[in-house]
Amino acid sequence: MHSSWRTLDRPLLRDIALVCLAVGVIGLSYGAIAVASGFPVWFPVVLGLLVVAASSEFLFIGIIAAGGSPVAAVLAGLLVNARHLPFGLAVPDVLGRGAWRFLGTHLMNDETVVFALAQKDTTRGRAAYWACGLGIVVCWPAGAAIGGLAGTVIDNTGAFGLDAMFPAVLLALILPALRGDRDKRRAALAGSAIALTAVPFLPAGLPVLLALAGLSLTTARKKAVR
């Protein structure tokens, strides 16, 4: 693990830092929304440390705030986080070994997986994964704490539009991987179409999970070529 850190050059560290900063900014919105919905300031912070998954945490807060049961909120969060199953299959070599593997699994999220897969070799991918994961596990709860304090005095947290920053950053990270690869572009476009179609009908987070069906196009094409 120590030797892999040397593969992190300045541009990669800059990109990781910007993503962690964006996560912290989204954490501001998350904490403020949670407190404005009636939760104590400490709750989004603790939830952020234990879950480290923005979409499921937003969904949990929204369901409870709307009068839903905690059981329904937890089940909905687990369903949204089901996308981590294919994530784990995609990056098994970067999670570490022994006890470190449990921490590595806890750090798994959209951003860490994107950074790991974007690297050309496993060593650099492992370093990027852990650097991003450790950065997020600090910035996300910290943002939630600051946002929670702000939520005690801000009524309309949605007016700032902070939630738009997060998907914009992810899109910027994914675009380079789509250049020159027709199969990836086809899968990405199909997944986007599925997610956009499902947005008016499903709770937040579930359209993204359904978008994984776009991967079936790539798999089907590879089988046809064989």
Coordinates of all heavy atoms in Angstrom, one line a residue, residues 6-108:
R6 N 3.0 6.5 -4.2 CA 4.0 7.2 -5.1 C 3.5 7.4 -6.5 O 4.0 8.2 -7.2 CB 5.3 6.4 -5.1 CG 6.0 6.3 -3.7 CD 7.2 5.4 -3.8 NE 7.8 5.2 -2.4 CZ 8.8 4.4 -2.2 NH1 9.3 3.7 -3.2 NH2 9.2 4.2 -1.0
T7 N 2.5 6.6 -6.9 CA 1.9 6.7 -8.2 C 1.0 7.9 -8.4 O 0.5 8.2 -9.5 CB 1.2 5.4 -8.6 OG1 0.1 5.2 -7.7 CG2 2.1 4.2 -8.5
L8 N 0.6 8.5 -7.3 CA -0.3 9.7 -7.3 C 0.4 10.9 -7.7 O 1.1 11.6 -6.9 CB -1.0 9.8 -5.9 CG -1.8 8.7 -5.5 CD1 -2.3 9.0 -4.1 CD2 -3.0 8.5 -6.4
D9 N 0.3 11.3 -9.0 CA 1.0 12.6 -9.4 C 0.1 13.8 -9.1 O -1.0 13.6 -8.6 CB 1.3 12.5 -10.9 CG 0.1 12.1 -11.7 OD1 -1.0 12.5 -11.3 OD2 0.3 11.5 -12.8
R10 N 0.6 14.9 -9.4 CA -0.1 16.2 -9.0 C -1.5 16.3 -9.7 O -2.4 16.7 -9.1 CB 0.8 17.4 -9.3 CG 0.2 18.7 -8.9 CD 1.2 19.8 -9.1 NE 2.3 19.7 -8.2 CZ 3.3 20.5 -8.1 NH1 3.3 21.6 -8.9 NH2 4.3 20.3 -7.3
P11 N -1.6 16.1 -11.0 CA -2.9 16.2 -11.7 C -4.0 15.3 -11.1 O -5.1 15.7 -10.9 CB -2.6 15.8 -13.1 CG -1.2 16.1 -13.3 CD -0.5 15.8 -12.0
L12 N -3.6 14.0 -10.7 CA -4.5 13.1 -10.1 C -4.9 13.5 -8.7 O -6.1 13.5 -8.4 CB -3.9 11.7 -10.1 CG -4.8 10.6 -9.5 CD1 -6.1 10.5 -10.2 CD2 -4.1 9.2 -9.6
L13 N -3.9 14.0 -8.0 CA -4.3 14.5 -6.6 C -5.2 15.7 -6.7 O -6.1 15.9 -5.9 CB -3.0 14.8 -5.9 CG -2.1 13.7 -5.4 CD1 -0.8 14.2 -4.8 CD2 -2.9 12.9 -4.3
R14 N -4.9 16.6 -7.7 CA -5.8 17.7 -7.9 C -7.2 17.3 -8.2 O -8.2 17.9 -7.6 CB -5.3 18.6 -9.0 CG -6.1 19.9 -9.3 CD -5.8 20.3 -10.7 NE -6.1 19.3 -11.7 CZ -5.4 19.2 -12.9 NH1 -4.5 20.1 -13.2 NH2 -5.8 18.3 -13.7
D15 N -7.4 16.3 -9.0 CA -8.7 15.9 -9.4 C -9.4 15.3 -8.2 O -10.6 15.5 -7.9 CB -8.7 14.8 -10.5 CG -8.2 15.4 -11.8 OD1 -8.3 16.7 -12.0 OD2 -7.8 14.7 -12.7
I16 N -8.7 14.5 -7.4 CA -9.3 13.9 -6.2 C -9.7 14.9 -5.2 O -10.8 14.9 -4.6 CB -8.3 12.9 -5.6 CG1 -8.1 11.7 -6.5 CG2 -8.7 12.4 -4.2 CD1 -7.0 10.7 -6.0
A17 N -8.8 15.9 -5.0 CA -9.1 17.0 -4.1 C -10.4 17.8 -4.5 O -11.2 18.1 -3.7 CB -7.9 18.0 -4.0
L18 N -10.5 18.0 -5.8 CA -11.7 18.7 -6.3 C -13.0 17.9 -6.1 O -14.0 18.5 -5.7 CB -11.5 19.1 -7.8 CG -10.5 20.1 -8.1 CD1 -10.4 20.3 -9.7 CD2 -10.9 21.5 -7.5
V19 N -12.9 16.6 -6.3 CA -14.1 15.8 -6.1 C -14.4 15.8 -4.6 O -15.6 15.9 -4.2 CB -13.8 14.3 -6.6 CG1 -14.9 13.4 -6.1 CG2 -13.8 14.3 -8.1
C20 N -13.4 15.6 -3.7 CA -13.7 15.6 -2.3 C -14.3 17.0 -1.8 O -15.2 17.0 -1.0 CB -12.4 15.3 -1.5 SG -11.8 13.6 -1.7
L21 N -13.8 18.1 -2.4 CA -14.4 19.4 -2.1 C -15.8 19.4 -2.5 O -16.7 19.9 -1.8 CB -13.6 20.5 -2.8 CG -14.1 21.9 -2.7 CD1 -14.0 22.3 -1.2 CD2 -13.2 22.9 -3.5
A22 N -16.1 18.9 -3.7 CA -17.5 18.9 -4.2 C -18.4 18.1 -3.3 O -19.5 18.4 -3.0 CB -17.6 18.3 -5.6
V23 N -17.9 16.9 -2.8 CA -18.6 16.1 -1.9 C -18.9 16.9 -0.6 O -20.0 16.8 0.0 CB -17.8 14.8 -1.6 CG1 -18.4 14.1 -0.4 CG2 -17.8 13.9 -2.8
G24 N -17.9 17.6 -0.1 CA -18.1 18.4 1.1 C -19.2 19.5 0.9 O -20.0 19.7 1.8
V25 N -19.2 20.1 -0.3 CA -20.2 21.1 -0.6 C -21.6 20.5 -0.6 O -22.6 21.0 -0.1 CB -19.9 21.8 -1.9 CG1 -21.0 22.7 -2.3 CG2 -18.6 22.6 -1.8
I26 N -21.7 19.3 -1.2 CA -23.0 18.6 -1.2 C -23.4 18.2 0.2 O -24.6 18.2 0.6 CB -22.9 17.3 -2.1 CG1 -22.6 17.7 -3.5 CG2 -24.3 16.6 -2.1 CD1 -23.6 18.7 -4.1
G27 N -22.4 17.9 1.0 CA -22.6 17.6 2.4 C -23.3 18.8 3.2 O -24.1 18.6 4.1
L28 N -22.9 20.0 2.8 CA -23.5 21.2 3.3 C -25.0 21.1 3.1 O -25.8 21.4 4.0 CB -23.0 22.4 2.7 CG -21.5 22.8 3.0 CD1 -21.1 24.0 2.1 CD2 -21.2 23.0 4.4
S29 N -25.4 20.8 1.9 CA -26.8 20.8 1.5 C -27.5 19.6 2.3 O -28.6 19.8 2.8 CB -27.0 20.5 0.0 OG -28.4 20.4 -0.3
Y30 N -26.8 18.5 2.4 CA -27.4 17.3 3.1 C -27.6 17.6 4.5 O -28.7 17.3 5.1 CB -26.4 16.1 2.9 CG -26.6 15.0 3.8 CD1 -27.8 14.3 3.9 CD2 -25.6 14.6 4.7 CE1 -28.0 13.2 4.7 CE2 -25.8 13.6 5.6 CZ -27.0 12.9 5.6 OH -27.1 11.8 6.4
G31 N -26.6 18.2 5.2 CA -26.8 18.5 6.6 C -27.9 19.5 6.9 O -28.7 19.4 7.8
A32 N -27.9 20.5 6.0 CA -28.9 21.6 6.2 C -30.3 21.0 6.0 O -31.3 21.4 6.7 CB -28.6 22.7 5.2
I33 N -30.5 20.2 5.0 CA -31.8 19.6 4.7 C -32.2 18.7 5.8 O -33.4 18.7 6.3 CB -31.8 18.8 3.4 CG1 -31.6 19.7 2.2 CG2 -33.0 17.9 3.2 CD1 -31.4 19.0 0.9
A34 N -31.3 17.9 6.4 CA -31.6 17.0 7.5 C -32.1 17.8 8.7 O -33.1 17.4 9.3 CB -30.4 16.2 7.8
V35 N -31.4 18.8 9.1 CA -31.7 19.6 10.3 C -33.0 20.4 10.0 O -33.9 20.5 10.9 CB -30.6 20.6 10.6 CG1 -31.0 21.5 11.7 CG2 -29.4 19.8 11.1
A36 N -33.2 20.9 8.8 CA -34.4 21.6 8.5 C -35.6 20.7 8.5 O -36.8 21.2 8.7 CB -34.3 22.3 7.1
S37 N -35.4 19.4 8.3 CA -36.5 18.4 8.3 C -36.8 17.9 9.7 O -37.7 17.1 9.9 CB -36.1 17.2 7.4 OG -35.9 17.6 6.1
G38 N -36.0 18.4 10.7 CA -36.3 18.0 12.1 C -35.3 17.1 12.8 O -35.5 16.8 14.0
F39 N -34.3 16.7 12.1 CA -33.3 15.9 12.7 C -32.3 16.7 13.5 O -32.0 17.9 13.1 CB -32.5 15.1 11.6 CG -33.3 14.1 10.9 CD1 -34.0 14.4 9.8 CD2 -33.4 12.8 11.4 CE1 -34.8 13.4 9.1 CE2 -34.2 11.8 10.8 CZ -34.9 12.1 9.6
P40 N -31.7 16.2 14.6 CA -30.7 16.9 15.3 C -29.4 17.0 14.5 O -29.2 16.3 13.5 CB -30.4 16.0 16.5 CG -30.9 14.6 16.1 CD -32.0 14.8 15.2
V41 N -28.5 18.0 14.8 CA -27.3 18.3 14.0 C -26.4 17.1 13.9 O -25.8 16.8 12.9 CB -26.6 19.5 14.6 CG1 -25.3 19.7 13.9 CG2 -27.5 20.8 14.5
W42 N -26.3 16.3 15.0 CA -25.4 15.2 15.0 C -25.8 14.0 14.1 O -25.0 13.2 13.7 CB -25.2 14.6 16.5 CG -26.5 14.1 17.1 CD1 -27.3 14.8 17.9 CD2 -27.1 12.8 16.9 NE1 -28.4 14.0 18.3 CE2 -28.2 12.8 17.7 CE3 -26.7 11.7 16.2 CZ2 -29.1 11.7 17.8 CZ3 -27.5 10.6 16.3 CH2 -28.7 10.6 17.1
F43 N -27.1 13.9 13.8 CA -27.6 12.8 13.1 C -27.0 12.6 11.7 O -26.5 11.6 11.3 CB -29.2 12.8 13.0 CG -29.7 11.6 12.5 CD1 -30.0 10.5 13.3 CD2 -30.1 11.5 11.1 CE1 -30.5 9.3 12.8 CE2 -30.6 10.3 10.6 CZ -30.8 9.2 11.4
P44 N -27.1 13.7 10.8 CA -26.5 13.5 9.5 C -25.0 13.3 9.5 O -24.4 12.6 8.6 CB -26.8 14.8 8.8 CG -27.1 15.8 9.9 CD -27.7 15.0 11.0
V45 N -24.3 13.8 10.6 CA -22.9 13.5 10.7 C -22.6 12.1 11.0 O -21.7 11.4 10.3 CB -22.3 14.4 11.8 CG1 -20.8 14.2 11.9 CG2 -22.6 15.9 11.5
V46 N -23.3 11.5 11.9 CA -23.1 10.1 12.3 C -23.5 9.2 11.1 O -22.8 8.2 10.8 CB -23.9 9.7 13.5 CG1 -23.8 8.2 13.8 CG2 -23.3 10.5 14.7
L47 N -24.6 9.5 10.5 CA -25.1 8.7 9.3 C -24.1 8.8 8.2 O -23.8 7.8 7.5 CB -26.4 9.3 8.8 CG -27.2 8.3 7.9 CD1 -27.6 7.1 8.7 CD2 -28.5 9.0 7.4
G48 N -23.5 10.0 8.0 CA -22.5 10.2 7.0 C -21.2 9.3 7.2 O -20.6 8.8 6.3
L49 N -20.8 9.2 8.5 CA -19.7 8.3 8.8 C -19.9 6.8 8.6 O -19.1 6.1 8.2 CB -19.2 8.6 10.2 CG -18.4 9.9 10.5 CD1 -18.3 10.2 12.0 CD2 -17.1 9.8 9.8
L50 N -21.2 6.4 9.0 CA -21.5 5.0 9.0 C -21.9 4.5 7.6 O -21.7 3.3 7.3 CB -22.6 4.7 10.0 CG -22.3 5.0 11.5 CD1 -23.5 4.7 12.3 CD2 -21.1 4.1 11.9
V51 N -22.5 5.4 6.8 CA -23.0 4.9 5.5 C -22.1 5.3 4.3 O -21.8 4.6 3.4 CB -24.4 5.5 5.3 CG1 -25.0 5.0 3.9 CG2 -25.4 5.0 6.4
V52 N -21.7 6.6 4.3 CA -20.8 7.1 3.2 C -21.4 6.9 1.9 O -20.8 6.4 0.9 CB -19.4 6.6 3.3 CG1 -18.4 7.5 2.5 CG2 -18.9 6.4 4.7
A53 N -22.7 7.2 1.7 CA -23.4 7.0 0.4 C -24.5 8.1 0.3 O -25.6 7.9 1.0 CB -24.0 5.6 0.3
A54 N -24.2 9.1 -0.4 CA -25.1 10.3 -0.4 C -26.5 10.0 -0.8 O -27.5 10.4 -0.2 CB -24.5 11.3 -1.3
S55 N -26.7 9.2 -1.9 CA -28.1 9.0 -2.4 C -28.9 8.3 -1.4 O -30.1 8.7 -1.2 CB -28.0 8.2 -3.8 OG -27.3 7.0 -3.6
S56 N -28.4 7.2 -0.8 CA -29.2 6.5 0.2 C -29.5 7.3 1.4 O -30.5 7.2 2.0 CB -28.5 5.2 0.5 OG -27.3 5.4 1.1
E57 N -28.5 8.2 1.8 CA -28.7 9.0 3.0 C -29.8 10.1 2.7 O -30.7 10.4 3.6 CB -27.4 9.7 3.4 CG -26.4 8.7 3.9 CD -25.1 9.3 4.2 OE1 -25.1 10.3 5.0 OE2 -24.0 8.8 3.8
F58 N -29.7 10.7 1.5 CA -30.8 11.7 1.2 C -32.1 11.0 1.1 O -33.2 11.5 1.6 CB -30.5 12.3 -0.2 CG -29.6 13.5 -0.2 CD1 -28.3 13.5 -0.7 CD2 -30.1 14.7 0.3 CE1 -27.5 14.6 -0.7 CE2 -29.3 15.8 0.4 CZ -28.0 15.8 -0.1
L59 N -32.2 9.8 0.6 CA -33.4 9.0 0.5 C -34.0 8.7 1.9 O -35.2 8.8 2.2 CB -33.2 7.8 -0.3 CG -34.5 6.9 -0.5 CD1 -35.5 7.7 -1.3 CD2 -34.1 5.6 -1.3
F60 N -33.1 8.3 2.8 CA -33.4 7.9 4.2 C -34.1 9.1 4.9 O -35.1 9.1 5.5 CB -32.2 7.4 4.9 CG -32.5 7.1 6.4 CD1 -32.9 5.8 6.7 CD2 -32.4 8.0 7.4 CE1 -33.1 5.4 8.0 CE2 -32.6 7.7 8.7 CZ -33.0 6.4 9.0
I61 N -33.4 10.3 4.8 CA -33.8 11.5 5.4 C -35.2 11.9 4.8 O -36.1 12.3 5.6 CB -32.8 12.7 5.2 CG1 -31.5 12.4 5.9 CG2 -33.4 14.0 5.6 CD1 -31.6 12.4 7.4
G62 N -35.3 11.8 3.5 CA -36.6 12.2 2.8 C -37.8 11.3 3.3 O -38.9 11.8 3.5
I63 N -37.6 10.0 3.4 CA -38.6 9.1 3.7 C -39.1 9.4 5.2 O -40.3 9.4 5.5 CB -38.2 7.6 3.5 CG1 -38.1 7.3 2.1 CG2 -39.2 6.7 4.2 CD1 -37.5 6.0 1.8
I64 N -38.1 9.5 6.1 CA -38.5 9.8 7.5 C -39.2 11.1 7.6 O -40.2 11.2 8.4 CB -37.2 9.7 8.4 CG1 -36.5 8.3 8.3 CG2 -37.6 10.1 9.8 CD1 -37.4 7.2 8.9
A65 N -38.6 12.1 6.9 CA -39.2 13.5 7.0 C -40.7 13.5 6.5 O -41.5 14.3 6.9 CB -38.4 14.5 6.3
A66 N -40.9 12.6 5.5 CA -42.3 12.5 4.9 C -43.2 11.7 5.8 O -44.4 11.5 5.4 CB -42.2 12.0 3.5
G67 N -42.8 11.1 6.9 CA -43.6 10.3 7.7 C -43.5 8.8 7.6 O -44.3 8.1 8.2
G68 N -42.5 8.4 6.7 CA -42.3 7.0 6.5 C -41.7 6.3 7.7 O -41.1 7.0 8.6
S69 N -41.7 5.0 7.8 CA -41.1 4.2 8.9 C -39.6 4.1 8.7 O -39.1 4.1 7.6 CB -41.8 2.9 9.0 OG -41.4 2.0 7.9
P70 N -38.9 4.0 9.8 CA -37.4 3.7 9.7 C -37.1 2.5 8.9 O -36.1 2.4 8.2 CB -37.0 3.6 11.1 CG -38.0 4.4 11.9 CD -39.3 4.2 11.2
V71 N -37.9 1.4 9.0 CA -37.7 0.2 8.3 C -37.8 0.4 6.8 O -36.9 -0.1 6.1 CB -38.7 -0.9 8.8 CG1 -38.5 -2.2 7.9 CG2 -38.5 -1.2 10.3
A72 N -38.8 1.1 6.4 CA -39.0 1.4 5.0 C -37.8 2.2 4.5 O -37.3 2.0 3.3 CB -40.3 2.1 4.7
A73 N -37.3 3.2 5.3 CA -36.2 4.0 4.9 C -34.9 3.2 4.7 O -34.2 3.4 3.8 CB -36.0 5.2 5.9
V74 N -34.7 2.3 5.7 CA -33.5 1.5 5.6 C -33.5 0.6 4.4 O -32.5 0.4 3.7 CB -33.3 0.6 6.9 CG1 -32.2 -0.4 6.7 CG2 -33.0 1.6 8.1
L75 N -34.7 -0.1 4.1 CA -34.8 -1.0 3.0 C -34.6 -0.2 1.7 O -34.0 -0.7 0.7 CB -36.2 -1.6 3.0 CG -36.4 -2.7 4.1 CD1 -37.9 -3.2 4.1 CD2 -35.4 -3.8 4.0
A76 N -35.2 1.0 1.6 CA -35.0 1.8 0.4 C -33.5 2.2 0.2 O -33.0 2.1 -0.9 CB -35.8 3.1 0.5
G77 N -32.8 2.5 1.3 CA -31.4 2.8 1.2 C -30.6 1.6 0.7 O -29.7 1.7 -0.1
L78 N -30.9 0.4 1.3 CA -30.2 -0.8 0.8 C -30.5 -1.1 -0.6 O -29.6 -1.6 -1.3 CB -30.7 -2.0 1.7 CG -30.3 -2.0 3.2 CD1 -30.9 -3.1 3.9 CD2 -28.7 -2.1 3.3
L79 N -31.7 -0.8 -1.1 CA -32.0 -1.1 -2.5 C -31.2 -0.2 -3.4 O -30.6 -0.6 -4.4 CB -33.5 -0.9 -2.8 CG -34.0 -1.1 -4.2 CD1 -33.7 -2.6 -4.6 CD2 -35.5 -0.9 -4.3
V80 N -31.1 1.1 -3.0 CA -30.3 2.1 -3.8 C -28.8 1.7 -3.8 O -28.1 1.7 -4.8 CB -30.4 3.5 -3.2 CG1 -29.5 4.4 -3.9 CG2 -31.9 4.0 -3.5
N81 N -28.3 1.2 -2.7 CA -26.9 0.8 -2.5 C -26.6 -0.5 -3.2 O -25.5 -1.0 -3.1 CB -26.5 0.8 -1.1 CG -26.1 2.2 -0.6 OD1 -26.1 3.2 -1.4 ND2 -25.9 2.4 0.7
A82 N -27.6 -1.2 -3.7 CA -27.4 -2.5 -4.4 C -26.4 -2.3 -5.6 O -25.9 -3.3 -6.0 CB -28.7 -3.1 -4.8
R83 N -26.3 -1.1 -6.1 CA -25.3 -0.9 -7.1 C -23.9 -1.2 -6.7 O -23.0 -1.3 -7.6 CB -25.4 0.5 -7.7 CG -24.9 1.6 -6.7 CD -25.3 3.0 -7.3 NE -24.6 4.1 -6.5 CZ -25.1 4.5 -5.4 NH1 -26.2 4.0 -4.9 NH2 -24.5 5.5 -4.8
H84 N -23.7 -1.2 -5.4 CA -22.3 -1.5 -4.9 C -21.9 -3.0 -5.2 O -20.7 -3.3 -5.1 CB -22.2 -1.3 -3.4 CG -22.2 0.2 -3.1 ND1 -22.0 0.7 -1.8 CD2 -22.5 1.3 -3.9 CE1 -22.1 2.0 -1.9 NE2 -22.4 2.4 -3.1
L85 N -22.9 -3.9 -5.5 CA -22.6 -5.2 -5.8 C -21.8 -5.3 -7.1 O -20.7 -5.9 -7.1 CB -23.9 -6.1 -5.9 CG -24.6 -6.2 -4.6 CD1 -25.9 -7.0 -4.8 CD2 -23.8 -7.0 -3.5
P86 N -22.2 -4.7 -8.2 CA -21.3 -4.7 -9.4 C -20.1 -3.9 -9.2 O -19.0 -4.2 -9.8 CB -22.2 -4.2 -10.5 CG -23.3 -3.4 -9.8 CD -23.5 -4.2 -8.5
F87 N -20.1 -2.9 -8.3 CA -18.9 -2.1 -8.0 C -17.8 -3.0 -7.5 O -16.7 -3.0 -7.8 CB -19.2 -1.0 -7.0 CG -19.9 0.2 -7.6 CD1 -20.3 1.3 -6.8 CD2 -20.2 0.3 -9.0 CE1 -21.0 2.4 -7.3 CE2 -20.9 1.4 -9.5 CZ -21.2 2.4 -8.7
G88 N -18.3 -3.8 -6.5 CA -17.3 -4.7 -5.8 C -16.7 -5.7 -6.8 O -15.5 -6.1 -6.7
L89 N -17.5 -6.2 -7.8 CA -17.0 -7.1 -8.8 C -16.0 -6.4 -9.7 O -15.1 -7.0 -10.3 CB -18.1 -7.7 -9.6 CG -19.1 -8.6 -8.8 CD1 -20.3 -9.0 -9.6 CD2 -18.4 -9.8 -8.2
A90 N -16.2 -5.1 -9.9 CA -15.3 -4.3 -10.8 C -14.0 -3.9 -10.3 O -13.0 -3.8 -11.0 CB -16.1 -3.1 -11.3
V91 N -13.9 -3.8 -8.9 CA -12.6 -3.3 -8.3 C -12.2 -4.2 -7.2 O -11.8 -3.7 -6.1 CB -12.8 -1.9 -7.8 CG1 -12.9 -0.9 -9.0 CG2 -14.0 -1.7 -6.9
P92 N -12.1 -5.5 -7.3 CA -11.7 -6.4 -6.2 C -10.3 -6.2 -5.8 O -9.9 -6.5 -4.7 CB -12.0 -7.8 -6.7 CG -11.9 -7.7 -8.2 CD -12.4 -6.3 -8.5
D93 N -9.4 -5.8 -6.7 CA -8.0 -5.7 -6.5 C -7.5 -4.5 -5.8 O -6.4 -4.4 -5.4 CB -7.2 -5.8 -7.8 CG -7.5 -7.2 -8.5 OD1 -7.7 -8.2 -7.8 OD2 -7.4 -7.2 -9.8
V94 N -8.4 -3.5 -5.6 CA -8.0 -2.3 -4.9 C -8.5 -2.1 -3.5 O -8.1 -1.2 -2.8 CB -8.6 -1.0 -5.7 CG1 -8.2 -1.1 -7.2 CG2 -10.1 -0.9 -5.6
L95 N -9.2 -3.1 -3.0 CA -9.8 -3.0 -1.7 C -8.8 -3.3 -0.5 O -9.2 -3.1 0.6 CB -11.0 -3.9 -1.6 CG -12.1 -3.6 -2.6 CD1 -13.3 -4.6 -2.4 CD2 -12.6 -2.2 -2.4
G96 N -7.7 -3.9 -0.8 CA -6.8 -4.3 0.3 C -7.0 -5.7 0.7 O -7.8 -6.4 0.2
R97 N -6.3 -6.1 1.8 CA -6.3 -7.4 2.3 C -6.6 -7.4 3.8 O -6.3 -6.5 4.5 CB -5.0 -8.2 2.0 CG -4.7 -8.3 0.5 CD -3.4 -9.1 0.3 NE -3.1 -9.2 -1.1 CZ -2.0 -9.8 -1.6 NH1 -1.1 -10.2 -0.7 NH2 -1.8 -9.9 -2.9
G98 N -7.1 -8.6 4.3 CA -7.3 -8.7 5.7 C -8.3 -7.7 6.2 O -9.3 -7.4 5.6
A99 N -8.0 -7.1 7.4 CA -8.9 -6.1 8.0 C -9.0 -4.8 7.1 O -10.0 -4.2 7.1 CB -8.3 -5.7 9.4
W100 N -7.9 -4.5 6.4 CA -8.0 -3.3 5.5 C -9.1 -3.5 4.4 O -9.7 -2.5 4.0 CB -6.7 -3.1 4.8 CG -5.6 -2.6 5.7 CD1 -4.6 -3.3 6.2 CD2 -5.5 -1.2 6.2 NE1 -3.8 -2.4 7.0 CE2 -4.4 -1.2 7.0 CE3 -6.3 -0.1 6.0 CZ2 -4.0 0.0 7.6 CZ3 -5.9 1.1 6.6 CH2 -4.7 1.1 7.4
R101 N -9.4 -4.7 4.1 CA -10.4 -5.0 3.1 C -11.8 -4.5 3.5 O -12.6 -4.0 2.7 CB -10.5 -6.4 2.7 CG -11.3 -6.7 1.4 CD -11.1 -8.2 0.9 NE -11.6 -8.4 -0.4 CZ -11.1 -8.1 -1.5 NH1 -9.8 -7.6 -1.5 NH2 -11.7 -8.4 -2.7
F102 N -12.1 -4.6 4.8 CA -13.4 -4.2 5.4 C -13.5 -2.6 5.3 O -14.5 -2.1 4.9 CB -13.5 -4.6 6.8 CG -13.8 -6.1 7.0 CD1 -12.7 -6.9 7.3 CD2 -15.0 -6.6 6.8 CE1 -12.9 -8.3 7.4 CE2 -15.2 -8.0 6.9 CZ -14.2 -8.8 7.2
L103 N -12.4 -2.0 5.6 CA -12.4 -0.5 5.5 C -12.5 -0.1 4.0 O -13.2 0.8 3.7 CB -11.1 0.1 6.1 CG -10.9 1.6 6.0 CD1 -12.1 2.3 6.6 CD2 -9.6 2.0 6.6
G104 N -11.7 -0.8 3.1 CA -11.8 -0.5 1.7 C -13.2 -0.7 1.2 O -13.7 0.1 0.4
T105 N -13.9 -1.7 1.6 CA -15.3 -1.9 1.2 C -16.2 -0.8 1.7 O -17.1 -0.3 1.0 CB -15.9 -3.2 1.7 OG1 -15.0 -4.3 1.2 CG2 -17.3 -3.5 1.3
H106 N -16.0 -0.3 2.9 CA -16.7 0.8 3.5 C -16.5 2.1 2.7 O -17.5 2.9 2.6 CB -16.3 1.0 5.0 CG -17.1 2.1 5.7 ND1 -18.5 2.0 5.9 CD2 -16.7 3.3 6.2 CE1 -18.9 3.1 6.5 NE2 -17.9 3.9 6.7
L107 N -15.4 2.3 2.1 CA -15.1 3.5 1.4 C -15.6 3.4 -0.1 O -15.5 4.4 -0.8 CB -13.6 3.7 1.3 CG -12.9 4.0 2.6 CD1 -11.4 4.1 2.4 CD2 -13.4 5.1 3.4
M108 N -16.2 2.3 -0.4 CA -16.7 2.1 -1.8 C -17.9 3.0 -2.1 O -18.9 3.0 -1.4 CB -17.1 0.7 -2.1 CG -17.5 0.4 -3.5 SD -17.9 -1.3 -3.7 CE -16.4 -2.1 -3.4

